[in-house]
Amino acid sequence: MNKTRETGNAVITIKNATKSYGRHVVFSNLSVEVEEGGVLCIIGPSGTGKSTLLRCINRLEVLDKGAVYIDGERVGCKKEGNHYRTLAEDAIAKQRQKTGMVFQQFNLFKHLSVMDNITLAPRKVLGLSDSEARQIAVGLLQRVGLSDKAKAYPSELSGGQKQRIAIARALAMKPKVMLFDEPTSALDPELVGEVLTVMKSLAAEGMTMVIVTHEMSFARNVATAIAFMDGGSIAAYGTPQEVLDHPSNPRVRQFLSAIEYS
């Protein structure tokens, strides 16, 4: 048990989060929780702060106000008495190991093979031996259906394959939660399914996930909860049936009618 746990049973807790860039308020006073094994899909129009909120969860962006907790521990801070002290960057990086993140543009190291992309962080950060890291990588490549690509380089892969490797790389650090920032938005339509299949399997295995997505069918089938962001706030929150099938918020109905929904 985590003796420093400051929240309830939620694995991810966002409390009263506010983020601005200059005078532009991206979002204000947001609060949401994700239970262990839960899948929160964040949907909504472009430019409403979905990706920024995701990046604040693992402190790639810093909140102006509010707090994020991962597994009961406040991200970026340590409690000392009745106050919080901002952690040094190396301590924040250690906290960040609890979260695996998959980006829109894959972010693979182009000069490294698939195997080296996956094993680099476990070796350098976790201190695993080459053989230990490779054993993990072999299992993950099998898991994402790309066992035959261990020696390939990113330039030799399709977009869908790159994204599946990016997922394997994130999983190699054995994160507590996975964050996905529109993971299929850069893919050709015929490649989307292979990535979503891997993500569905993670959900079925009980991985706690937060996913920014425009894939409504995927969200409906996989999410345990959906948050619709608009105008700097969570305008609607609930189960997929509540938010997607029977939306009470007229802004949600307008959004859904404007996109292809199946």
Side-chain angles (χ1 to χ4, degrees), residues 220-236:
R220 187 186 189 285
N221 292 325
V222 175
T224 55
I226 291 181
F228 176 83
M229 286 185 65
D230 187 50
S233 67
I234 295 178

Side-chain angles (χ1 to χ4, degrees), residues 203-217:
E205 293 164 10
M207 174 63 74
T208 305
M209 299 192 285
V210 181
I211 305 167
V212 174
T213 185
H214 289 292
E215 299 289 341
M216 294 300 106
S217 180

Side-chain angles (χ1 to χ4, degrees), residues 5-256:
R5 193 174 188 92
E6 301 175 40
T7 57
N9 293 324
V11 175
I12 303 172
T13 300
I14 301 170
K15 289 186 175 180
N16 306 318
T18 296
K19 178 65 179 177
S20 302
Y21 295 115
R23 295 184 178 181
H24 174 59
V25 179
V26 182
F27 52 78
S28 178
N29 203 35
L30 295 187
S31 295
V32 68
E33 292 185 342
V34 185
E35 298 294 325
E36 185 168 7
V39 178
L40 173 65
C41 284
I42 304 176
I43 67 170
S46 298
T48 55
K50 303 185 300 296
S51 294
T52 301
L53 178 62
L54 198 73
R55 291 169 65 86
C56 287
I57 292 176
N58 67 350
R59 209 176 167 87
L60 290 177
E61 298 274 0
V62 180
L63 291 171
D64 299 322
K65 297 179 182 178
V68 175
Y69 298 83
I70 302 291
D71 203 23
E73 182 179 15
R74 184 166 173 174
V75 175
C77 300
K78 182 178 181 180
K79 193 170 186 178
E80 295 182 344
N82 294 323
H83 302 281
Y84 284 95
R85 172 178 60 84
T86 300
L87 292 172
E89 192 57 42
D90 60 340
I92 293 174
K94 188 172 182 179
Q95 279 188 332
R96 198 175 284 135
Q97 292 175 26
K98 291 184 177 181
T99 61
M101 189 157 183
V102 177
F103 300 88
Q104 296 179 36
Q105 298 294 338
F106 325 127
N107 289 9
L108 297 177
F109 296 111
K110 297 179 181 179
H111 65 291
L112 297 180
S113 69
V114 164
M115 178 60 71
D116 288 340
N117 262 282
I118 297 172
T119 60
L120 179 64
R123 289 187 290 106
K124 298 295 186 181
V125 179
L126 299 182
L128 299 186
S129 67
D130 288 351
S131 61
E132 289 172 326
R134 288 181 67 86
Q135 184 177 4
I136 290 172
V138 168
L140 288 171
L141 285 171
Q142 183 177 10
R143 189 174 180 180
V144 300
L146 292 172
S147 295
D148 60 332
K149 298 297 183 182
K151 296 181 180 180
Y153 284 80
S155 62
E156 301 173 288
L157 304 176
S158 69
Q161 290 171 335
K162 290 176 185 177
Q163 197 61 294
R164 284 187 280 163
I165 296 302
I167 294 172
R169 182 178 63 177
L171 291 172
M173 294 295 288
K174 299 184 178 179
K176 184 75 176 181
V177 303
M178 286 286 288
L179 311 176
F180 293 86
D181 187 8
E182 298 193 34
T184 60
S185 65
L187 302 179
D188 292 333
E190 65 268 23
L191 301 178
V192 169
E194 62 191 54
V195 174
L196 296 182
T197 296
V198 173
M199 295 171 64
K200 288 177 183 177
S201 71
L202 290 177
E205 293 164 10
M207 174 63 74
T208 305
M209 299 192 285
V210 181
I211 305 167
V212 174
T213 185
H214 289 292
E215 299 289 341
M216 294 300 106
S217 180
F218 169 80
R220 187 186 189 285
N221 292 325
V222 175
T224 55
I226 291 181
F228 176 83
M229 286 185 65
D230 187 50
S233 67
I234 295 178
Y237 178 87
T239 65
Q241 291 72 28
E242 291 169 337
V243 177
L244 299 180
D245 291 350
H246 307 288
S248 58
N249 187 309
R251 182 67 186 93
V252 179
R253 292 198 297 268
Q254 180 186 27
F255 172 77
L256 293 176

